[in-house]
Amino acid sequence: MKPLQKIKQLKVFGREFIYPKKPAGKLYTYRKWFSYFLLICLFSFPFVKLRGEQLVLLNFLERKFVFFGVIFTPQDFYLFALAMLIFIIFIVCFTVIFGRLWCGWACPQTIFMEMVFRRIEYWIEGDANHQIKLDLQPWNSEKILKKSSKHFLFLMISFAIANTFLAYLIGSDLLYKIITEPISKHISGFLSIWLFTFIFYGVFAYVREVVCTVICPYGRLQGVLLDNQSLIVAYNEQRGEPRAFLQKNNTDPTKGDCIDCGLCVQVCPTGIDIRKGTQLECVNCTACIDSCNEVMLKVNRDPNLIGFYTQDFIKTKKPFRLGLKAYGYAAVLFLVMLVFSSLIYKRQDVETTVLRASGTMYQLNADGTVSNLYNAELINKTNKDISFLFRSQNKSDVIKFIQRPEILVKEGTTHLTFFLIKKQSELTDFKSDVEFEVTANGKIISTASTSFFSQP
């Protein structure tokens, strides 16, 4: 075991590569199927249509965002910002309770690295020992064939990821045009596909775990977010120490359960020793738990020498309970989600803004009426044209249009210019409120309010 641990990292192309042993076990099986579910969602969401729109679209260039068929425009940016805040608070709350479990089980970087690219590597080059042997041997036909096959598949998968990534950013319809139409019509799109392809290829073929250990800031937040009541993947040193190699007929009660086999180190995708305590490089992938449980089963000792533990449990056997910090974050998350839900409920498919024309006052008419000039802006947030009727909620009011489109263009803006005419006898104040409504197919789809000025 010891020689293998010493050569677990080899310097290739200027940097040390980690050769983790292929994991296996109950938790790895759960993580594998959960990862496949997430991968199916990731690759299908941009290409599945709901209400004429793809399920998820994040088009920052055209400022159009779609989530499960609902279109959000720049006017809904406050909702987008609130959704990002909810996501951040959720990650913080999740981390306080479950540690860095997100990284090992749901992060796209880990899922692609461990469940796609690393499995291809195991399939072509073999387990860690075979990979080390292959990299140490001189370039021959076997090495050239295996390396070229592996990197060709890496490049093809990176190409698929790049296309999917662009489908989220520019839309699957435009991506289809870029792929099917002549390159001369979509040079920027063609270059973008290959740029992202090589970026993803570089990340998964060369950068690898450095994304988790150095580049990603989330791991460095653990020291701030975690406390002694957080559930993390940890080594129970009270039970495992002092370590002792397994020897026949050795029943020394002073020795711990850890037999120092090193398997927990060999399967770690970031190359750490979990027995040294909580480390920011640990992504809570649980591979060390499976490998240790396998050894404990073989030597007839209790499982979960490495498991999901809190520091309080390891030191004092205190059972897991949510701390005040977790309850505080959960309360904040609940309140923000409550506000977000109410805003979503009140959100209208057509946003209407009515303003009095600048530089104008009221006009007294010879027939005893008063008129004010207004400009209205109607924003259609749906992907369908809408035939609409614009009117005042007061049935006695009269609207005289100067500019009056009859169709709200899909995902477009429509402008109205009109006079609102009221009977002077109905007005008692210099300034009064007036309400407008936009109807389509007999239903009110939007409302707006403004002020009306007159001579009392």
Side-chain angles (χ1 to χ4, degrees), residues 30-42:
Y30 292 156
R31 187 161 66 103
K32 179 173 64 176
W33 289 111
F34 182 65
S35 298
Y36 292 159
F37 168 75
L38 293 180
L39 286 172
I40 291 172
C41 293
L42 178 70

Side-chain angles (χ1 to χ4, degrees), residues 162 166 178 183 186-198:
L166 279 177
I178 295 174
I183 296 176
H186 305 282
I187 294 178
S188 60
F190 177 79
L191 293 177
S192 298
I193 290 176
W194 283 106
L195 173 64
F196 285 116
T197 296
F198 287 118

Side-chain angles (χ1 to χ4, degrees), residues 241-258:
E241 301 294 327
R243 308 171 199 169
F245 289 110
L246 185 64
Q247 296 178 358
K248 191 174 182 179
N249 299 324
N250 183 6
T251 58
D252 188 348
T254 64
K255 300 299 183 181
D257 282 352
C258 179

Side-chain angles (χ1 to χ4, degrees), residues 68-86:
F68 297 93
V70 180
I71 300 174
F72 294 88
T73 62
Q75 289 73 26
D76 298 316
F77 181 78
Y78 67 97
L79 292 174
F80 182 77
L82 202 57
M84 290 297 101
L85 180 61
I86 289 174

Side-chain angles (χ1 to χ4, degrees), residues 73-129:
T73 62
Q75 289 73 26
D76 298 316
F77 181 78
Y78 67 97
L79 292 174
F80 182 77
L82 202 57
M84 290 297 101
L85 180 61
I86 289 174
F87 179 74
I88 293 172
I89 297 175
F90 170 78
I91 291 295
V92 170
C93 184
F94 188 88
T95 304
V96 168
I97 300 173
F98 298 108
R100 209 175 172 182
L101 193 65
W102 161 273
C103 294
W105 286 65
C107 176
Q109 165 68 22
T110 306
I111 290 174
F112 277 116
M113 186 68 251
E114 302 303 322
M115 296 300 169
V116 179
F117 289 89
R118 194 87 75 184
R119 288 178 68 84
I120 290 175
E121 207 162 49
Y122 291 139
W123 174 51
I124 294 178
E125 297 184 356
D127 208 345
N129 289 334

